[in-house]
Amino acid sequence: MVWGVGGLVALGFLVGLEVFARRHGIPGPLTAQLREVVFPAKPGPLYGGLALMMVVLTWRQRFVAAGVAVGIDLVFALARWAAGVTVPEGQYFGNGALWAMLGCAVFALARRTGAERFLLLKGVGLGLLLVTGRKIGDTWLLITSRTRPTVLDPYVATADHALGNPSWAAGRILKAMGPLSGHVIHVVYAQLAVAAVVVALYQLRNVAAERRFPRHHLVRTFLLIGLLGPAIYMVFPVVGPVFAYGPGTSGTGGVEWAVANLWPHTPPPVGIPHPVPYDGITPRNCMPSLHTAWATAIFIHTRKGPRLLRFAGAFWLVATLGATLGFGYHYGVDLVAGVVFSLTVEAALRTYDRGWDRSGVRLVAYGTTVFAALLLSYRRLSVPMAEHAWVFGPLVVLAMLSVIYGYLRTTRGWQPEAVPVLLPAPRPEPV
């Protein structure tokens, strides 16, 4: 019943978002998803969803599902080639993965019963959630650009003086490191979802054998961050330094809308901030930095893995932070908000699993309060933050560290304590 109610709520949300998107003249997530049954699609999310779905299958079934997906993609590719259809670059494959997932859903309903059907449908739902979550995010980004004609970058850029304008410094460092380093960091930044799928596959590796999902895993945190984050974009629209104070990602396209062409060589002067108009194309997706939030979640979920996975999680977090700042996609205060946001969402999910005990509720309430206080400070106290950087800079960092400390202390208290085993005293040997 719980899964049924959750499914109805999710369907209602998708329908509502579809209607809202259509009213603003853009395709919604349902339309975009249905198009990928036939039209060219991005293969990454679809094959990532297929990989997550296959955690509930046996090895034989996995080979069959993968073979069916590749075979259907080959048929689509040959048919498009024969018909002379022009396919966007990087979208030559992908439909087969969606067909394979839908086929597994039909197979579960037609040929499985009871717990086996439920487990297979959960696997299909997990895979489709990853794909649909990407469509929901894309739709939200389009909605932010259409419904928020002004942005609050001057406020955030002014508040960022409290942290020493780290995006400007990182941008100069990245340019000095040369194109190879920039390319590597950009790949890490762009393939964040791939890292998440790898970590999720490790966490879900025993699902097929145990016939059940673990209570908590990375996919849940990833999806909830992606669901809640865009709602904050609507309240706090920000486009980022490279757009508001630079040439944009194209090198020239953002200059006509920029407040000034200063990034990354000259930090913006401290003045009286005010909302500024921006184009109707660029997403307002900076506050908070969801890339930072997702990378933080990956880091958290790799701490109990093997050494290689722990190293990869730490590397992905550091590289993502460097990319968000070095490419001018985010301000420093965005990253602080992203870390607090991620830890609060993670704490809320784990507290939900524990039945909303007092320590978890206190941690979630504290994280929410700090996050709201940060956003209010950026909006209402940006000038004092810039003028008294030596006071507000440490306060912003301490606020983030306090949430990190609270999370570590609370979650360590949730770990089961080791119970000493009392061994019987050895019997004296007979003389």
Side-chain angles (χ1 to χ4, degrees):
M1 185 174 64
V2 172
W3 278 90
V5 172
L8 289 176
V9 171
L11 180 61
F13 173 77
L14 285 173
V15 172
L17 188 58
E18 180 78 24
V19 173
F20 186 71
R22 289 298 187 90
R23 288 182 177 178
H24 289 88
I26 56 178
L30 293 177
T31 302
Q33 190 66 76
L34 290 174
R35 282 178 55 85
E36 292 187 344
V37 175
V38 177
F39 292 94
K42 294 181 179 179
L46 289 169
Y47 272 96
L50 179 63
L52 286 179
M53 184 211 71
M54 290 195 294
V55 299
V56 303
L57 304 179
T58 63
W59 278 108
R60 179 180 176 276
Q61 292 170 337
R62 290 169 186 171
F63 284 118
V64 171
V68 169
V70 173
I72 292 175
D73 270 333
L74 288 174
V75 171
F76 270 97
L78 290 173
R80 288 166 184 156
W81 174 76
V85 177
T86 302
V87 179
E89 185 178 356
Q91 299 186 21
Y92 305 106
F93 300 98
N95 305 95
L98 182 57
W99 278 83
M101 285 188 281
L102 296 176
C104 285
V106 174
F107 178 79
L109 294 172
R111 302 295 298 275
R112 290 290 183 264
T113 58
E116 290 293 323
R117 172 190 288 178
F118 182 63
L119 183 67
L120 184 51
L121 289 177
K122 282 183 69 175
V124 174
L126 184 67
L128 291 177
L129 271 176
L130 180 68
V131 179
T132 307
R134 178 67 178 267
K135 300 301 178 187
I136 292 174
D138 292 343
T139 302
W140 267 119
L141 294 183
L142 289 173
I143 290 175
T144 61
S145 63
R146 299 290 180 86
T147 61
R148 294 296 180 266
T150 60
V151 297
L152 302 179
D153 283 78
Y155 293 91
V156 183
T158 303
D160 211 39
H161 281 274
L163 299 180
N165 304 107
S167 179
W168 272 256
R172 294 193 297 271
I173 293 173
L174 193 60
K175 285 190 175 183
M177 291 173 63
L180 179 60
S181 299
H183 178 72
V184 172
I185 293 178
H186 189 273
V187 169
V188 172
Y189 182 86
Q191 301 302 324
L192 185 67
V194 176
V197 170
V198 171
V199 176
L201 290 176
Y202 174 79
Q203 292 181 323
L204 304 175
R205 66 193 182 280
N206 296 323
V207 170
E210 298 176 357
R211 314 311 295 166
R212 65 180 182 85
F213 279 84
R215 175 175 291 185
H216 182 52
H217 50 83
L218 177 61
V219 180
R220 301 173 70 204
T221 308
F222 235 70
L223 291 174
L224 190 56
I225 288 174
L227 181 65
L228 297 177
I232 304 171
Y233 294 160
M234 300 290 288
V235 179
F236 211 114
V238 181
V239 292
V242 73
F243 295 100
Y245 293 95
T249 54
S250 64
T252 57
V255 174
E256 59 182 296
W257 291 98
V259 177
N261 192 4
L262 302 174
W263 188 89
H265 301 291
T266 307
V270 177
I272 304 300
H274 55 86
V276 295
Y278 212 81
D279 64 23
I281 302 174
T282 306
R284 282 63 163 146
N285 60 340
C286 280
M287 181 61 71
S289 169
L290 292 196
H291 262 79
T292 299
W294 283 320
T296 302
I298 290 175
F299 177 80
I300 293 172
H301 282 263
T302 54
R303 293 309 88 198
K304 293 185 178 180
R307 180 179 298 178
L308 179 61
L309 197 64
R310 296 198 304 270
F311 173 79
F315 168 76
W316 224 272
L317 175 61
V318 173
T320 300
L321 296 179
T324 55
L325 293 173
F327 292 122
Y329 297 149
H330 288 281
Y331 304 90
V333 290
D334 299 342
L335 274 60
V336 173
V339 172
V340 174
F341 181 68
S342 180
L343 292 173
T344 304
V345 170
E346 178 73 15
L349 287 171
R350 297 191 63 179
T351 303
Y352 170 78
D353 293 334
R354 293 177 55 83
W356 296 106
D357 63 347
R358 180 178 297 179
S359 61
V361 171
R362 186 165 56 242
L363 175 61
V364 174
Y366 180 71
T368 304
T369 302
V370 171
F371 181 74
L374 288 173
L375 264 62
L376 286 173
S377 298
Y378 302 159
R379 182 66 172 83
R380 302 298 181 186
L381 300 175
S382 57
V383 174
M385 289 179 69
E387 293 176 345
H388 305 283
W390 289 103
V391 176
F392 283 94
L395 284 177
V396 170
V397 175
L398 284 174
M400 178 185 69
L401 292 177
S402 68
V403 176
I404 296 174
Y405 173 76
Y407 178 84
L408 292 175
R409 181 177 180 180
T410 303
T411 53
R412 285 173 181 170
W414 291 343
Q415 301 296 327
E417 296 182 1
V419 179
V421 178
L422 299 179
L423 299 176
R427 294 182 179 181
E429 297 183 0
V431 180

